[in-house]
Amino acid sequence: MRSKIVAGNWKMNKNLEETETLLTELSGKLPDSEAEVMVAPTFVNLSAAVRNLENSSIQVIAQNMHFAESGAYTGEISADMLLNIGVDTCIIGHSERRAYFGETDEILAKKIKTALKNGIRVMFCFGEELEDRKSGNHFKVVESQLKNALFSLDKDAWSKIILAYEPVWAIGTGETASPEQAQEMHAFIRKTIAEAFDASVADNVSILYGGSVKPGNAAEIFSKPDVDGGLIGGASLVANDFIDIIKAI
Ligand code: PGA
């Protein structure tokens, strides 16, 4: 059975004090939910977040990691460093990493391999750009992103994979894929995985939607059968909004 997941990607927002305040508010208001709830603060505040949430079911996850185990990679963070502070899930392939930091499918495949080798659960992000959708190439683009990053994995590795479909045109733009567009793509993703692996792999992988999910649209998007939750940017920075999105699932 795949899990329902609501994850907040805080990106480069919230200093230490603001992180503590938001986490305390979130854990105080957290509703009873069958969904896994995750937050991804910036690297410098991960340890503090883990400590703050010691008695909470909210999981702390990372926004990124490097593909090397260790070494001369100034400014980078390794899998071991994350595990060592109690973080065992990592977002990989966010479109902002692809667009602003030159992360290619090849680099992402290496990161995924290193994460899995170290026992880190991967939340893999992918999604088409506006031109791809306008030209009708969105399915092809998504299929190739999945193939390049994930299709060389062993079947067993899929228990450690979460997918987050995030159409680039919907991220931080206020524009959301309609629930029907999200469902159509999520069903396509599941079918593509079933063909490349098998139906049980496809049925058991959680596929989150990301891109301007807000309290006002979350319930309708989450009601779609192949949408297993959301990766939330902007709205995860406001405690009441994030809590309302968790309630929506
Ligand atoms: P957004 O960001 O909710 O602000 O659109 C989503 C994401 O980048 O994960």
Side-chain angles (χ1 to χ4, degrees):
M1 253 283 278
R2 55 190 191 249
S3 2
K4 303 246 180 230
I5 298 171
V6 179
N9 176 11
W10 293 5
K11 309 188 181 184
M12 197 174 73
N13 294 294
K14 305 283 175 195
N15 63 25
L16 177 59
E17 209 181 314
E18 293 161 345
T19 296
E20 299 277 13
T21 305
L22 181 52
L23 291 176
T24 304
E25 261 188 282
L26 286 177
S27 40
K29 294 178 176 173
L30 192 68
D32 264 346
S33 165
E34 58 175 64
E36 292 186 57
V37 177
M38 307 174 175
V39 290
T42 176
F43 283 129
V44 286
N45 294 329
L46 285 179
S47 287
V50 169
R51 275 196 300 275
N52 184 300
L53 295 173
E54 226 163 38
N55 299 314
S56 165
S57 60
I58 303 175
Q59 302 167 43
V60 179
I61 71 172
Q63 298 178 17
N64 180 33
M65 55 166 270
H66 198 260
F67 55 75
E69 298 286 347
S70 65
Y73 297 97
T74 302
E76 292 293 336
I77 308 285
S78 72
D80 174 61
M81 291 169 187
L82 297 178
L83 289 170
N84 191 245
I85 58 161
V87 173
D88 65 3
T89 302
C90 185
I91 298 172
I92 290 181
H94 191 279
S95 69
E96 287 148 19
R97 298 295 315 170
R98 297 176 193 250
Y100 309 142
F101 303 98
E103 295 195 2
T104 58
D105 284 355
E106 194 190 356
I107 292 172
L108 299 174
K110 280 163 72 174
K111 289 188 177 204
I112 291 169
K113 217 165 138 206
T114 305
L116 294 173
K117 187 170 154 224
N118 283 277
I120 289 196
R121 199 174 173 201
V122 170
M123 184 182 290
F124 178 64
C125 301
F126 56 97
E128 81 282 0
E129 309 216 4
L130 186 57
E131 307 91 78
D132 303 321
R133 186 157 277 267
K134 280 189 172 156
S135 61
N137 277 334
H138 45 299
F139 293 116
K140 233 195 244 156
V141 168
V142 162
E143 185 175 10
S144 108
Q145 289 172 326
L146 289 171
K147 187 171 169 206
N148 294 340
L150 300 170
F151 281 11
S152 63
L153 297 179
D154 289 340
K155 219 168 95 173
D156 293 350
W158 279 84
S159 63
K160 292 265 189 191
I161 301 283
I162 301 160
L163 299 178
Y165 166 61
E166 299 205 300
V168 178
W169 49 272
I171 297 179
T173 58
E175 192 150 334
T176 324
S178 68
E180 292 69 32
Q181 283 173 320
Q183 169 56 27
E184 182 188 36
M185 183 57 90
H186 283 222
F188 170 78
I189 293 163
R190 224 178 279 288
K191 178 172 103 16
T192 304
I193 294 167
E195 282 163 10
F197 292 87
D198 63 32
S200 83
V201 170
D203 282 347
N204 286 316
V205 67
S206 299
I207 309 178
L208 316 185
Y209 169 80
S212 299
V213 177
K214 305 271 183 271
N217 60 22
E220 210 189 337
I221 296 173
F222 294 164
S223 72
K224 295 296 176 192
D226 287 297
V227 178
D228 304 310
L231 179 55
I232 324 296
S236 72
L237 298 169
V238 179
N240 286 338
D241 286 359
F242 193 52
I243 293 291
D244 284 347
I245 292 171
I246 297 165
K247 285 181 184 158
I249 209 163

